[in-house]
């Protein structure tokens, strides 16, 4: 059996080694999930909900140890690990509260002896290839509604968050979900590729555009449900009438939270020329106040970079910006010593010739660009192949809506950023992907509609 080594990104030290799946074990697990799906779909929704309710209780009971495990294997600051787990509880509550009404058979026409109904039936076997940056959020956005709707799940957590993936699986089994209904796969890209070769009915992936494009090519001819959440280069515009200090503090947090390793991190900031200098000063001061340190320390805000190869990406963007004339205010270097570290980095005087304003950074690196008008801001915000989120800071709601209605993004923010709600769909435009999770749409996406034409004899 091949092995998967799990390292602590903050120290580089080995945490443990796990036995990994291979093509034969993936196929066997897929067969088990297929065989178990009919009985799980036939299980009353109330019983499936009871399992998820017990799973929620398990998360609450083990929350501290789960947070520590996530911090140790991803480098996420411990407070943010707790925040993720506590935030998960609200998402589970939403899915539990909305499942009955969302999945109820709908009568859409009844006249005389003819009745027309829409039934929501499960997809079947769902493949979930998940991400490491928010492993509980991203994993459970798929796992929980997929199980509630009667699907079995083949779940491959990221190789950078495998211990967390195994904990999710353990708690679901403990909560009463049968072992063949929720199956975890251990390994890297080769295991994910083997999973895509199986007969599944839906593929849900969160990760990079390059991997998403390969997945789309692999499964395209299979005509199965495909959801790809592929990140972004998310912009925010600060208008000349904004509260500069509030905007700077909010956007610094939006850019640097989770060490900038969020799909919806603020990655580009455009500021009206009238408040530009004031904003840059306030933003830099806020970033300089963030403490970098041991992720398990309670006062750490900036943790480790989870994937070592990302350090090269960040350094290349920094070097490119400096070479093209950007002004560096703080940071700009890798950390010293063991582990994967990069200083919180802020540039002003940037433009769209620079990689920092065009390609996803996925780290604590940000560029701030001056604009002269709302129209210029809209043009620059849309000058991207991505379209996940975008925001505007202004006290004028009409002005914000006028800007945001022109921006190509699946989620837009007024006077806030880097926010996800279970009540709203999570989707993207362009290279940010296809499909969606969350909201009642994110429950129905794990079903296929069955149309009933019923005529009384």
């Amino acid at each position: 059996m091949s092995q998967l080594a799990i390292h602590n990104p903050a120290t580089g030290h080995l945490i443990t080694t796990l036995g990994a799946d291979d093509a034969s074990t993936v196929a066997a697990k897929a067969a088990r999930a297929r065989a178990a799906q009919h009985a799980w779909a036939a299980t009353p929704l109330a019983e499936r909900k009871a399992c998820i309710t017990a799973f929620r209780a398990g998360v609450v009971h083990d929350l501290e140890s789960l947070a520590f495990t996530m911090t140790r294997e991803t480098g996420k600051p411990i407070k943010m690990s707790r925040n993720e787990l506590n935030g998960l509880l609200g998402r589970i509550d939403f899915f539990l509260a909305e499942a009955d009404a969302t999945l109820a058979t709908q009568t859409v026409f009844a006249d005389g002896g003819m009745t027309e109904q829409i039934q929501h039936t499960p997809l079947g076997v769902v493949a979930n290839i998940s991400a490491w940056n928010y492993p509980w959020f991203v994993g459970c956005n798929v796992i929980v509604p997929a199980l509630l709707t009667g699907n079995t799940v083949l779940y491959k957590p990221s190789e950078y968050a495998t211990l967390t993936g195994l904990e999710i699986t353990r708690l679901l089994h403990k909560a009463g979900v049968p072992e063949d209904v929720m199956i975890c796969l251990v390994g890297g890209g080769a295991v994910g590729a083997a999973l895509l070769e199986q007969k599944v009915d839906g593929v849900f992936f969160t990760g990079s555009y390059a991997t998403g494009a390969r997945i789309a090519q692999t499964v395209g001819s299979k005509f199965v449900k495909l959801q790809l959440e592929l990140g972004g280069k998310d912009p925010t515009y600060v208008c000349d009438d904004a509260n500069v200090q509030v905007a700077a503090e909010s956007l610094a947090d939006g850019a640097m939270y989770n060490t900038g390793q969020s799909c919806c991190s603020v990655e580009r900031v455009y500021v009206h020329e009238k408040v530009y200098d004031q904003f840059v000063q306030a933003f830099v001061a806020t970033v300089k106040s963030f403490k970098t340190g041991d992720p398990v320390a309670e006062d750490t805000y900036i943790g480790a970079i989870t994937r070592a190869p990302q350090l090269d990406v960040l350094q290349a963007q920094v070097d490119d910006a400096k070479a093209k004339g950007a002004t560096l205010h703080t940071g700009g270097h890798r950390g010293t010593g063991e582990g994967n570290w990069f200083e919180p980095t802020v540039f002003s005087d940037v433009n769209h010739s620079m990689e920092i304003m065009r390609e996803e950074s996925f780290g604590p690196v940000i560029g701030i660009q001056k604009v002269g008008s709302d129209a210029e801001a809209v043009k620059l915000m849309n000058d991207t192949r991505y379209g996940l989120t975008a925001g505007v800071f202004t006290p004028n709601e009409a002005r914000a809506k006028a800007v945001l209605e022109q921006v190509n993004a699946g989620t837009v923010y007024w006077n806030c950023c880097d926010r996800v709600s279970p009540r709203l769909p999570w989707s993207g435009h362009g290279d940010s992907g296809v499909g969606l999770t969350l909201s009642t749409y994110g429950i129905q996406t794990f079903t296929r509609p069955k149309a009933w034409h019923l005529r009384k004899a």
Side-chain angles (χ1 to χ4, degrees):
M1 176 182 286
S2 60
Q3 301 290 304
L4 177 68
I6 309 294
H7 290 89
N8 184 331
T11 64
H13 298 166
L14 180 70
I15 298 173
T16 190
T17 302
L18 302 172
D21 282 285
D22 57 26
S24 63
T25 62
V26 170
K29 289 181 175 182
R32 286 167 46 201
R34 177 65 62 188
Q37 194 273 321
H38 179 75
W40 180 246
T43 301
L45 176 57
E47 294 183 24
R48 300 198 298 264
K49 288 174 63 179
C51 291
I52 299 303
T53 300
F55 168 67
R56 183 194 189 281
V59 172
V60 172
H61 183 271
D62 293 352
L63 194 142
E64 276 303 310
S65 65
L66 299 173
F68 179 76
T69 294
M70 178 163 44
T71 288
R72 191 168 58 144
E73 70 175 338
T74 68
K76 183 193 296 281
I78 190 68
K79 282 189 174 180
M80 297 179 189
S81 291
R82 290 194 199 102
N83 288 347
E84 182 175 347
L85 287 159
N86 283 312
L88 172 71
L89 303 179
R91 295 192 185 190
I92 294 173
D93 290 342
F94 171 82
F95 289 132
L96 289 170
E98 297 294 333
D100 288 278
T102 303
L103 299 176
T105 297
Q106 301 167 263
T107 298
V108 294
F109 179 80
D111 186 22
M114 175 61 74
T115 300
E116 298 172 358
Q117 294 182 328
I118 302 172
Q119 180 188 17
H120 303 287
T121 64
L123 293 175
V125 178
V126 167
N128 178 19
I129 302 176
S130 200
W132 51 262
N133 59 330
Y134 288 92
W136 283 91
F137 276 167
V138 175
C140 291
N141 286 351
V142 173
I143 293 166
V144 171
L147 292 175
L148 285 173
T149 50
N151 299 278
T152 53
V153 178
L154 293 164
Y155 167 51
K156 197 204 86 66
S158 167
E159 56 269 41
Y160 297 97
T162 303
L163 298 178
T164 292
L166 290 170
E167 288 287 73
I168 292 172
T169 306
R170 176 184 68 82
L171 287 174
L172 283 164
H173 291 165
K174 184 178 179 181
V177 176
E179 291 189 2
D180 288 352
V181 169
M182 171 65 194
I183 300 176
C184 188
L185 308 176
V186 174
V191 174
L195 175 55
L196 297 177
E197 295 301 317
Q198 309 308 310
K199 179 175 171 51
V200 297
D201 303 291
V203 175
F204 291 75
F205 169 76
T206 298
S208 71
Y209 166 79
T211 302
R214 290 196 297 271
I215 290 173
Q217 292 172 348
T218 299
V219 306
S221 62
K222 297 184 178 182
F223 305 115
V224 300
K225 172 66 71 72
L226 178 63
Q227 188 271 337
L228 303 171
E229 201 267 88
L230 307 179
K233 191 67 181 171
D234 299 354
T236 298
Y237 170 42
V238 180
C239 299
D240 55 310
D241 56 359
N243 183 316
V244 171
Q245 187 65 37
V246 169
E249 292 176 0
S250 177
L251 291 173
D253 181 65
M256 301 293 169
Y257 190 88
N258 201 34
T259 319
Q261 298 172 117
S262 305
C263 297
C264 56
S265 288
V266 176
E267 292 223 354
R268 295 179 286 150
V269 181
Y270 302 98
V271 183
H272 196 283
E273 59 189 5
K274 292 182 179 178
V275 295
Y276 182 79
D277 292 339
Q278 181 185 354
F279 176 87
V280 170
Q281 182 179 12
F283 188 97
V284 171
T286 302
V287 170
K288 286 183 175 180
S289 73
F290 295 152
K291 181 179 177 181
T292 299
D294 183 351
V296 301
E298 293 293 336
D299 59 347
T300 293
Y301 181 90
I302 299 291
I305 298 297
T306 304
R307 296 178 61 256
Q310 195 64 21
L311 296 171
D312 292 334
V313 174
L314 297 173
Q315 192 64 61
Q317 289 190 358
V318 167
D319 292 345
D320 176 72
K322 290 166 67 175
K324 292 176 179 175
T327 300
L328 176 65
H329 293 270
T330 188
H333 302 284
R334 299 171 189 247
T336 58
E338 296 179 315
N340 310 329
W341 299 89
F342 205 93
E343 297 173 342
T345 300
V346 181
F347 282 101
S348 65
D349 303 316
V350 295
N351 59 62
H352 278 216
S353 72
M354 301 173 185
E355 292 294 303
I356 197 173
M357 299 299 282
R358 304 201 63 83
E359 296 301 328
E360 190 170 31
S361 300
F362 226 69
V365 174
I366 189 73
I368 307 172
Q369 184 167 349
K370 183 187 298 184
V371 297
S373 66
D374 294 5
E376 183 182 6
V378 169
K379 181 180 179 180
L380 290 169
M381 292 167 84
N382 282 333
D383 183 24
T384 179
R385 59 194 181 94
Y386 296 104
L388 190 61
T389 80
V392 170
F393 276 75
T394 172
N396 188 327
E397 181 176 0
R399 182 179 184 182
K401 288 183 174 179
V403 169
L404 294 172
E405 284 173 353
Q406 300 175 70
V407 176
N408 299 320
T411 292
V412 293
Y413 303 113
W414 175 40
N415 292 332
C416 56
C417 60
D418 191 28
R419 183 180 187 275
V420 181
S421 167
R423 296 169 292 278
L424 295 172
W426 189 247
S427 64
H429 295 192
D431 286 359
S432 287
V434 296
L436 57 85
T437 54
L438 298 177
S439 76
T440 54
Y441 294 110
I443 299 174
Q444 285 191 355
T445 197
F446 295 96
T447 70
R448 59 180 95 243
K450 191 168 190 174
W452 290 77
H453 301 252
L454 306 170
R455 186 189 296 279
K456 292 182 179 179

